[in-house]
Amino acid sequence: MNGIADRSRSDAAGSPWNGKRSTLAALAPQLRCSRVPAGIGIGFARWNDRREATLDFITAHFGQALLAARSDRADEDALAASKAGHYRTVLDVPGSDRSAIADAIDAVFGSYGHARSTDEVFMQRQVTGVRDAAVAFTHALPDGAPYHVVSVAKGPRSDHVTRGDTDVDTWYSARTDGRLDGLPAPYRVYLDALREIESVVGDQSCEVEMVADDADIIWLLQVRPLTLPPCDEAPVDRLRHALESDLAALATQPPLLGMMPDWNPAELLGEHPRPLARELFDTLITRRAWWLGRRALGYARIEETRLLRFIAGRPYVDARTSFRSLVPAGLDADIGERLVAAYCERLRAHPEYHDKIEFDVAFTTLTFGLADAFASRYPALLDTAQFSTFQETLRAPTSAALDAALTDRLIHSFTRDLRLAPPGAEPARLRRWIERLELRTGVRFAMAARQAFAIEALLRSAVDIGALDPTSWLQMRQSVASCAGLSASIDGDDAHVRAGTFEISAPTRKEFARPPFAQQPPRDANPRALWTLDAQISRDLRDALHELRLHIDVEALFAQYARVVHAREFGKCVFARGISLALDALASRAESLGIDRCTAGWLGLDDLLDPALARERLQERALVARNAHAVEARIRMPLLIRDHRLDVVHYAHGQANWLGNGRVDDVPTIVDAQTDPDRVPMHALIAIASANPGFDWIFRRRPAALLTAFGGPNSHMAIRCAEAGVPALLGIGPDAFRRVISARRISIDFGGRRWSLG
């Protein structure tokens, strides 16, 4: 790796971190698991003074080889700052084309802004026949958690992982005792190369870029040091071992737990909520309200009603319990258990369906083409008579979903609940008020949500069988009024709604310093003014409804869809208001004890409502919870737990949920619960980890597009984006989202379903 760089960038400096080229030159002779492609440094001063001679040297050195022109500036890839991706890289430069080489070098130097004489461009032989590319870390980002991390993207480009425009699989392997039998062979090879590099550079955390070619050779393209916070590995390892023991001891083995299969807790709470938020969510929704609402609509009574478990502070839905709650009442118990077992097996085999169980795993309502869909998904599971029985028992919950009178009663109930007076801060009365919110508003909201799911599935199946074309379906959804005008009906504005619905420290709209942004123009009062039912669609759907023996006409079906969407979104807003009022009362209770809002979030609900606990004891418990949360945060947890092992965690590329069309190329605007809406630009590309109803203000900023880490195809934001005509990329996963928030630009092609990071 000899070169013609300026003398001021000598390879002989004491630290191995002396620029891209120098670092690779120091590592190359010490590596056996990977190789370093040949390369030379082009100093800025020499390039300006002896341009033609430098081109002569490059062409003589590399011949006809394909080249990569990489940045190698003095202020990058150093201990002080890596500046990863800050400067330009030009790939696919023909080694025989002097003009292309010169343009590439100029482009890289141009990306420096003002190049200095000590700056270089690193000309490197580009690896050809690339099978896949990897970016690996000796410690997990951003907190230095004790894991080796390998992200791999298949395909011919060496920058696929960093670009983000292809599927990326990421594996986290515990540094101390990661059992590598859980890693597929390609990842093992990259991990071996990473560990060897780590043994050479010592204790310094670093990032490594590699590719594998068709001959199974690992090529090392770049190593850069990382400055990460210190991490005591021992408590993290102890917690991980304890969690593995707890999972192994569960009555149901192997476990099947996910963050998004039912009720979307990761979307509503965030991936790692604080104690008060998670306990309030569990109390109000996943303790009783969820199954009471389903039972009222014709689903089976279940014995195990615990839907949610908190593992390392993360909210996990018990998928098996969820599936059992979606078996229709009256179905033979043996058939029901066979269905549940089949659903579990399918989810276990297809973890990418973890946020799509209503549409890709379970059958929970009558749909068009049900027999064919069931046979395709679960061949030979039920005989003809058993399937006929199952289909007939689905009629009761489907009829309940189509019951307009029931929906009207739910809407009337939500309207009454708007008059629910704020609770006081006295513990016993506040506890009763929260229970009333759970068993009244919560249960009715669960019923409305189930009605909407059922009709959504029915109409999606109409698209599947060709009775409803996708364009008309999209137009119809956009024409349905849901929550867009509802917040204005709650106390005259959305003052009581907070962005982090269950987070006590998140400000409500009224707590921002300035008045809220300008209101949107009023929507057309006719909820379906933008869409007219086509005569052919009407005939096709009429025939399909008749075949399914559903006694509802087509106009009434679409009217009921609009009604249940309104009921669900209205109920969601009313419920969110009640939760906000409860949090305000809990904050008042905490303040009366000398506990501020932020500290209160670290306490449990029972802690705050225990009249015997004094301020000092509460502060001690809050400190313990805060410290535990900090250790939990360094545990990497999968989106779907399928066994008891946590030493190797896989983030599969999954299946993100795409909505809408068009293209967006912009700098992402990162939004969270503390974001002041007035500071968010109009027409921005908004990136948010998870978005609950408290974030509906986003649509008043007329976003160009929305991107989230969590969000299913029928989540709140999916509904709102479809209604507002906002293209969205939902549920890309927490690992990909971490790359998004550090990107300079994002390009999304919604029609082509492609996205990339700049």
Side-chain angles (χ1 to χ4, degrees):
M1 293 186 57
N2 56 341
I4 55 172
D6 294 297
R7 293 180 182 275
S8 57
R9 291 291 304 277
S10 167
D11 292 347
S15 169
W17 311 111
N18 193 34
K20 195 170 288 151
R21 178 180 60 85
S22 298
T23 296
L24 290 175
L27 289 174
Q30 305 180 68
L31 303 179
R32 299 293 178 268
C33 295
S34 60
R35 302 181 190 177
V36 176
I40 57 177
I42 309 300
F44 183 65
R46 190 179 297 269
W47 176 243
N48 282 337
D49 295 341
R50 302 177 60 187
R51 190 180 182 95
E52 292 303 318
T54 303
L55 289 172
D56 289 340
F57 183 85
I58 293 172
T59 55
H61 187 82
F62 291 109
Q64 303 294 311
L66 203 61
L67 305 179
R70 303 183 184 278
S71 63
D72 194 8
R73 204 178 189 205
D75 65 347
E76 67 172 337
D77 296 347
L79 287 171
S82 70
K83 291 200 170 181
H86 193 75
Y87 303 122
R88 183 85 180 270
T89 292
V90 181
L91 301 176
D92 304 318
V93 182
S96 59
D97 188 336
R98 294 169 66 91
S99 177
I101 295 171
D103 288 346
I105 294 173
D106 286 338
V108 177
F109 276 132
S111 70
Y112 297 171
H114 176 69
R116 297 163 294 197
S117 61
T118 55
D119 292 336
E120 295 182 11
V121 169
F122 182 26
M123 297 301 298
Q124 191 178 40
R125 183 185 298 272
Q126 184 169 316
V127 179
T128 57
V130 172
R131 184 189 67 212
D132 45 56
V135 175
F137 302 90
T138 57
H139 297 76
L141 272 60
D143 53 4
Y147 294 86
H148 291 106
V149 186
V150 179
S151 296
V152 176
K154 298 184 185 300
R157 293 189 61 94
S158 62
D159 60 348
H160 263 323
V161 176
T162 53
R163 282 168 57 91
D165 57 357
T166 192
D167 294 334
V168 176
D169 279 343
T170 299
W171 291 82
Y172 289 81
S173 175
R175 289 174 54 84
T176 53
D177 56 359
R179 289 159 281 184
L180 302 186
D181 57 296
L183 280 174
Y187 296 86
R188 287 284 303 273
V189 175
Y190 282 122
L191 183 58
D192 289 342
L194 175 66
R195 286 179 164 179
E196 182 182 53
I197 293 166
E198 184 179 24
S199 71
V200 174
V201 301
D203 294 334
Q204 175 60 47
S205 300
C206 59
E207 174 189 357
V208 178
E209 293 184 19
M210 299 173 278
V211 296
D213 65 15
D214 292 333
D216 294 327
I217 297 173
I218 301 296
W219 294 93
L220 175 61
L221 305 182
Q222 183 165 297
V223 182
R224 63 167 61 98
L226 295 173
T227 302
L228 296 174
C231 176
D232 184 356
E233 298 187 5
V236 179
D237 289 337
R238 285 196 298 270
L239 175 58
R240 177 168 53 79
H241 294 150
L243 294 172
E244 289 179 330
S245 296
D246 291 344
L247 287 171
L250 288 177
T252 303
Q253 285 297 332
L256 189 59
L257 309 167
M259 293 188 189
M260 290 291 287
D262 200 349
W263 278 98
N264 302 336
E267 182 183 32
L268 295 174
L269 283 174
E271 184 183 3
H272 191 191
R274 299 200 298 161
L276 182 58
R278 70 194 189 204
E279 287 193 20
L280 194 59
F281 179 87
D282 193 28
T283 297
L284 290 175
I285 296 176
T286 56
R287 184 177 63 177
R288 289 181 296 189
W290 74 283
W291 65 265
L292 287 172
R294 291 180 185 180
R295 193 176 70 181
L297 266 68
Y299 291 95
R301 185 186 188 99
I302 56 176
E303 294 181 6
E304 172 56 61
T305 60
R306 183 180 181 184
L307 182 66
L308 204 62
R309 299 178 185 272
F310 291 97
I311 302 173
R314 276 73 160 189
Y316 279 96
V317 168
D318 187 321
R320 188 173 281 101
T321 299
S322 172
F323 288 140
R324 283 177 174 147
S325 75
L326 294 170
V327 171
L331 185 65
D332 178 80
D334 177 65
I335 296 177
E337 281 305 302
R338 289 169 63 185
L339 287 169
V340 170
Y343 297 160
C344 290
E345 183 179 352
R346 180 172 174 83
L347 180 57
R348 197 179 298 281
H350 295 279
E352 66 271 19
Y353 296 155
H354 73 104
D355 60 352
K356 305 173 182 67
I357 68 166
E358 293 279 356
F359 305 114
D360 291 303
V361 179
F363 291 95
T364 64
T365 186
L366 286 178
T367 53
F368 305 119
L370 176 62
D372 290 340
F374 188 90
S376 174
R377 197 177 295 176
Y378 302 110
L381 178 65
L382 302 179
D383 62 30
T384 302
Q386 290 169 334
F387 175 77
S388 178
T389 299
F390 170 52
Q391 183 173 240
E392 193 57 33
T393 57
L394 286 172
R395 192 167 301 280
T398 306
S399 297
L402 298 174
D403 186 345
L406 172 59
T407 309
D408 288 340
R409 289 196 297 273
L410 292 174
I411 293 172
H412 181 67
S413 174
F414 295 143
T415 303
R416 291 201 310 271
D417 286 350
L418 280 178
R419 297 192 293 271
L420 186 62
E426 194 275 321
R429 295 184 64 182
L430 179 51
R431 192 183 292 277
R432 288 194 297 272
W433 194 94
I434 291 173
E435 184 176 32
R436 189 249 186 224
L437 183 65
E438 172 202 6
L439 295 178
R440 183 182 174 88
T441 314
V443 171
R444 286 165 173 75
F445 172 51
M447 294 171 65
R450 179 49 40 192
Q451 280 194 311
F453 262 121
I455 301 185
E456 179 89 8
L458 183 64
L459 290 174
R460 282 180 181 233
S461 70
V463 176
D464 292 339
I465 67 169
L468 178 64
D469 66 276
T471 300
S472 295
W473 167 231
L474 178 61
Q475 291 173 345
M476 192 272 289
R477 292 183 74 191
Q478 290 176 347
S479 71
V480 173
S482 68
C483 206
L486 293 177
S487 60
S489 70
I490 300 177
D491 287 350
D493 57 25
D494 58 357
H496 286 289
V497 178
R498 62 187 75 232
T501 301
F502 293 88
E503 174 52 56
I504 194 170
S505 66
T508 60
R509 298 279 72 79
K510 66 182 179 182
E511 292 179 72
F512 287 112
R514 292 173 303 285
F517 29 75
Q519 298 287 323
Q520 283 180 292
R523 293 171 60 94
D524 195 315
N526 180 355
R528 291 172 47 233
L530 300 178
W531 180 70
T532 302
L533 180 61
D534 179 83
Q536 184 61 50
I537 292 175
S538 180
R539 286 192 294 271
D540 291 344
L541 282 175
R542 182 190 60 207
D543 293 343
L545 286 166
H546 178 73
E547 184 178 345
L548 206 54
R549 293 190 294 115
L550 288 176
H551 305 297
I552 185 172
D553 63 45
V554 177
E555 287 282 355
L557 174 64
F558 285 115
Q560 176 63 358
Y561 177 72
R563 186 181 290 106
V564 298
V565 169
H566 173 83
R568 176 183 58 190
E569 299 307 297
F570 186 30
K572 193 178 293 181
C573 289
V574 173
F575 197 28
R577 173 187 181 269
I579 294 165
S580 187
L581 293 176
L583 287 171
D584 287 341
L586 288 167
S588 296
R589 164 68 180 162
E591 289 164 8
S592 71
L593 298 170
I595 302 293
D596 60 77
R597 273 182 179 259
C598 184
T599 302
W602 294 110
L603 295 169
L605 184 60
D606 286 339
D607 291 334
L608 282 172
L609 296 180
D610 186 343
L613 288 179
R615 175 174 178 269
E616 292 75 16
R617 184 60 176 147
L618 291 172
Q619 287 179 325
E620 290 173 5
R621 292 190 176 184
L623 180 60
V624 169
R626 186 195 298 265
N627 292 338
H629 194 274
V631 177
E632 291 170 353
R634 286 186 157 124
I635 294 285
R636 293 299 181 262
M637 298 293 295
L639 296 177
L640 187 68
I641 297 175
R642 292 179 286 172
D643 59 35
H644 70 277
R645 286 183 52 178
L646 298 175
D647 59 308
V648 174
V649 173
H650 181 205
Y651 283 108
H653 58 79
Q655 290 185 346
N657 301 290
W658 294 85
L659 294 172
N661 295 292
R663 292 173 176 267
V664 175
D665 184 358
D666 203 353
V667 178
T669 297
I670 313 301
V671 167
D672 61 23
Q674 303 299 325
T675 299
D676 184 341
D678 201 44
R679 296 188 180 277
V680 174
M682 296 291 288
H683 311 298
L685 167 55
I686 292 180
I688 181 170
S690 57
N692 49 49
F695 285 98
D696 275 4
W697 60 261
I698 286 174
F699 297 96
R700 296 181 184 175
R701 306 309 285 170
R702 311 272 180 82
L706 182 70
L707 183 150
T708 71
F710 300 99
N714 206 35
S715 63
H716 177 75
M717 280 296 156
I719 297 161
R720 293 291 286 113
C721 285
E723 165 194 281
V726 174
L729 176 54
L730 306 177
I732 65 171
D735 193 67
F737 191 78
R738 278 188 279 268
R739 295 195 295 273
V740 164
I741 61 178
S742 61
R744 289 177 296 170
R745 294 186 74 81
I746 306 176
S747 297
I748 309 176
D749 176 1
F750 290 94
R753 298 198 167 192
R754 296 185 299 270
W755 63 288
S756 62
L757 306 178

